[in-house]
Amino acid sequence: MAQIQWFPGHMAKARNQVQEKLKLVDLVLEIVDSRVPEASRNPMMNQIVGQKPRIMVLNKKDLADPQKTAEWLAYYRKQGYEAIAIDAQHARRLQQIPQLARQMMKAKLEKQKSRGIRNPGLRAMCIGIPNVGKSTVLNRLVKKNIAVTGNRPGVTKNQQWLTADDTFQVLDTPGILWPKFEDESVGNKLALTGAIADTVYQADTVGLFGLTFFQQGYPQALRKAYGLNDDDMAQKPADLMIALSQKWGYGEEYNRAAERVIFDARQGKFGPFTLEVPGDLDGHAE
Ligand SMILES: Nc1nc2c(ncn2[C@@H]2O[C@H](COP(=O)(O)OP(=O)(O)O)[C@@H](O)[C@H]2O)c(=O)[nH]1
Ligand SMILES: [Mg+2]
């Protein structure tokens, strides 16, 4: 995973690049991680994308809590977006995305047809923070072996388009934007899900955040994964971490226990999980 260190200059440059490319497309596929749909969004996405039609693509749905994914889909639809949950990693093709795009853009396509364009096409670009699965989505959108790239006269030179189907093309390079850094819980969520490189967070903090979350949110899964009893589960998270550290033979090297909790969460040892729900956003309107 390429970890990008964002500095203000980088942010401005990334934003400009995305805005240039936005001029070339009819719609945007905003890719987010289903486990952390809001924490994995760029904080300025609405300003950057503006009025351009957008599909919220909740990727990695295989790792997320299905009930909460359904809540998020409903939330984004209520906000006026199209929204879809996918598992790009294990999907063979992602035809649902072009289909949804055509449905969303129906009025525009009809208009073009009425003007004599026989088979009007749509162009899209993927945008998201690092590690949400933009490249994987692109790969799955494109027909195998027919990943035709080519310059189109009349638009920006060297702009490569990938062909998803007869009437749907997607920009070959995704727009990469920075994650939110505003509050600590966002950092913890992104670190726990692996969006932030291991070198830029404190394992003991993130591990304790994870243990606290699973103890409250998915107690049965935690209990089963670590063979815990009622007394273990009744402990405060920090005390439970100490107990686990001893149980695993790490003694007072609590950071090793914390690292193990992080590793296990990412590996799916506690099953699918979602770290935030739309209700968490009350009073935090964008
Ligand atoms: N489980 C799961 N993993 C995924 C999915 N999509 C992508 N990944 C994995 O997430 C990591 C980052 O994906 P990548 O496409 O490189 O993200 P990008 O940085 O946004 O381009 C890779 O290890 C992918 O294999 C998904 O739907 N489910
Ligand atoms: Mg990539």
Side-chain angles (χ1 to χ4, degrees), residues 21-22 24-30 52-53 55 97-98 101 104-105 121-127 138 141 159-162 164 167-174:
K21 289 182 177 176
L22 272 172
L24 307 174
V25 301
D26 302 296
L27 70 143
V28 167
L29 307 175
E30 181 179 349
K52 191 76 74 176
I55 299 178
I97 289 180
M104 175 173 79
M105 305 294 286
L122 290 174
R123 290 220 177 107
M125 75 180 288
C126 294
I127 306 183
L138 272 179
L141 271 173
Q159 194 57 68
Q160 306 281 302
W161 296 92
L162 303 175
T167 61
F168 195 85
Q169 288 187 314
V170 56
L171 211 53
D172 73 333
T173 41

Side-chain angles (χ1 to χ4, degrees), residues 16-174:
N16 288 340
Q17 282 176 346
V18 166
Q19 283 182 319
E20 267 313 300
K21 289 182 177 176
L22 272 172
K23 295 177 189 161
L24 307 174
V25 301
D26 302 296
L27 70 143
V28 167
L29 307 175
E30 181 179 349
I31 319 289
V32 299
D33 184 321
S34 298
R35 294 169 294 175
V36 279
E38 281 296 308
S40 63
R41 295 181 80 185
N42 170 276
M44 299 180 76
M45 191 62 87
N46 288 351
Q47 279 149 275
I48 294 169
V49 175
Q51 295 306 305
K52 191 76 74 176
R54 193 180 340 173
I55 299 178
M56 294 300 301
V57 178
L58 278 63
N59 190 35
K60 307 197 186 189
K61 77 165 181 183
D62 54 309
L63 304 178
D65 183 328
Q67 212 173 318
K68 296 195 171 122
T69 299
E71 282 180 44
W72 280 111
L73 289 171
Y75 170 81
Y76 289 121
R77 286 173 187 145
K78 213 170 141 196
Q79 304 252 304
Y81 304 115
E82 288 295 341
I84 187 171
I86 60 164
D87 167 4
Q89 173 102 315
H90 305 99
R92 233 165 48 79
R93 288 285 309 280
L94 290 172
Q95 285 111 322
Q96 319 96 288
I97 289 180
Q99 277 163 14
L100 184 58
R102 278 189 284 267
Q103 196 182 308
M104 175 173 79
M105 305 294 286
K106 207 170 172 184
K108 182 178 174 166
L109 293 171
E110 289 301 328
K111 206 164 149 191
Q112 289 182 330
K113 275 188 198 161
S114 73
R115 287 186 185 148
I117 300 171
R118 229 178 305 146
N119 212 8
L122 290 174
R123 290 220 177 107
M125 75 180 288
C126 294
I127 306 183
I129 70 166
N131 218 36
V132 289
K134 298 177 297 299
S135 302
T136 310
V137 170
L138 272 179
N139 280 325
R140 297 295 187 275
L141 271 173
V142 170
K143 278 190 203 168
K144 285 274 142 42
N145 309 321
I146 323 175
V148 187
T149 64
N151 297 344
R152 253 187 82 106
V155 285
T156 307
K157 244 186 249 169
N158 300 325
Q159 194 57 68
Q160 306 281 302
W161 296 92
L162 303 175
T163 299
D165 64 32
D166 291 353
T167 61
F168 195 85
Q169 288 187 314
V170 56
L171 211 53
D172 73 333
T173 41

Side-chain angles (χ1 to χ4, degrees), residues 195-242:
I196 294 180
D198 295 2
T199 47
V200 297
Y201 68 80
Q202 297 273 316
D204 49 359
T205 308
V206 175
L208 188 59
F209 168 82
L211 192 62
T212 307
F213 169 77
F214 289 109
Q215 196 180 11
Q216 289 169 358
Y218 299 89
Q220 293 311 326
L222 182 69
R223 184 188 279 259
K224 194 163 156 238
Y226 290 157
L228 303 175
N229 60 31
D230 288 345
D231 288 342
D232 298 325
M233 291 299 287
Q235 294 186 88
K236 289 193 184 114
D239 293 330
L240 180 56
M241 186 68 88
I242 291 168

